[in-house]
Amino acid sequence: DGVLGGSAAASGERVTPDRALTFSPWWRGVALLSQDVGKLPLTVHRVSGTAKQPAPGHPAYRLLRWEPNPAQTDIQFKQLLTADMLATGNGYAYVWRSRSGEPLELLPLDPGRVTPLRVGGVTWYAYEREPGAEPRKLPAADVLHVMGLSADGLCGLPVWSYAKEAIGLGLAGKRFQGKRIAGG
């Protein structure tokens, strides 16, 4: 089945990241956490010795604090990456740069299509634009990676898979109650 593909819980319910979100307590937890993180300001700071000062002139400041891309506000962007991290263990965004290397946009990536790799001590990200397509190799400097709890420092652990039995039991109870109400 694979970690992101889901698997059956002891209850017999198949649990996937998307299916877990149909279990209202799981949905509520993900929503509360991602909404709260989305409200937090994210800024770039310059460090000089022990002093730390906001750096509004830094090219990434505007992207992180106000507008990561034309389609999302900073709040929506942070909510999405946090929800992805909670669901799959990882939230990713591609750093779109100008020819001179200045960051212009932060574009969310589907975490199911990103595979972090470490080759010779260097981290890369393989991004599969469409199923079956040749993955594009992205350098770590071009990927913003919001990683959850990790066992290897490369990839976050999918929280839903550790809660699979509780979620499966909740989904089975929901299905049973629905049949009971419908008279089946």
Side-chain angles (χ1 to χ4, degrees):
D1 276 331
V3 175
L4 294 180
S7 60
S11 63
E13 293 292 321
R14 184 171 178 79
V15 181
T16 65
D18 286 340
R19 185 109 196 278
L21 288 172
T22 68
F23 181 49
S24 57
W26 183 259
W27 170 272
R28 184 69 174 140
V30 169
L32 282 174
L33 287 169
S34 63
Q35 289 167 358
D36 282 351
V37 169
K39 295 176 201 172
L40 297 173
L42 186 57
T43 58
V44 176
H45 287 79
R46 252 184 238 296
V47 178
S48 177
T50 58
K52 185 170 79 167
Q53 295 292 324
H58 191 282
Y61 189 93
R62 177 188 58 81
L63 298 176
L64 293 170
R65 182 64 180 104
W66 303 110
E67 187 181 26
N69 60 66
Q72 293 177 303
T73 66
D74 65 309
I75 293 173
Q76 293 167 329
F77 178 78
K78 289 179 284 187
Q79 284 177 342
L80 175 61
L81 263 59
T82 302
D84 283 348
M85 182 271 298
L86 291 169
T88 68
N90 303 282
Y92 300 102
Y94 178 69
V95 182
W96 182 266
R97 298 179 185 277
S98 68
R99 290 184 190 263
S100 64
E102 182 177 311
L104 300 174
E105 293 182 41
L106 297 173
L107 305 169
L109 298 173
D110 179 347
R113 294 182 178 188
V114 179
T115 304
L117 308 164
R118 193 168 287 136
V119 181
V122 177
T123 302
W124 291 87
Y125 294 88
Y127 177 61
E128 187 180 333
R129 284 186 235 181
E130 15 182 284
E134 182 70 25
R136 180 174 175 199
K137 192 175 175 184
L138 305 173
D142 289 343
V143 177
L144 174 61
H145 182 180
V146 178
M147 184 183 346
L149 181 64
S150 175
D152 61 6
L154 184 64
C155 194
L157 299 170
V159 179
W160 69 269
S161 70
Y162 291 91
K164 176 178 74 173
E165 295 304 326
I167 293 168
L169 190 58
L171 291 171
K174 186 172 92 169
R175 185 171 44 83
F176 174 78
Q177 189 66 21
K179 284 182 178 180
R180 193 164 170 229
I181 291 171

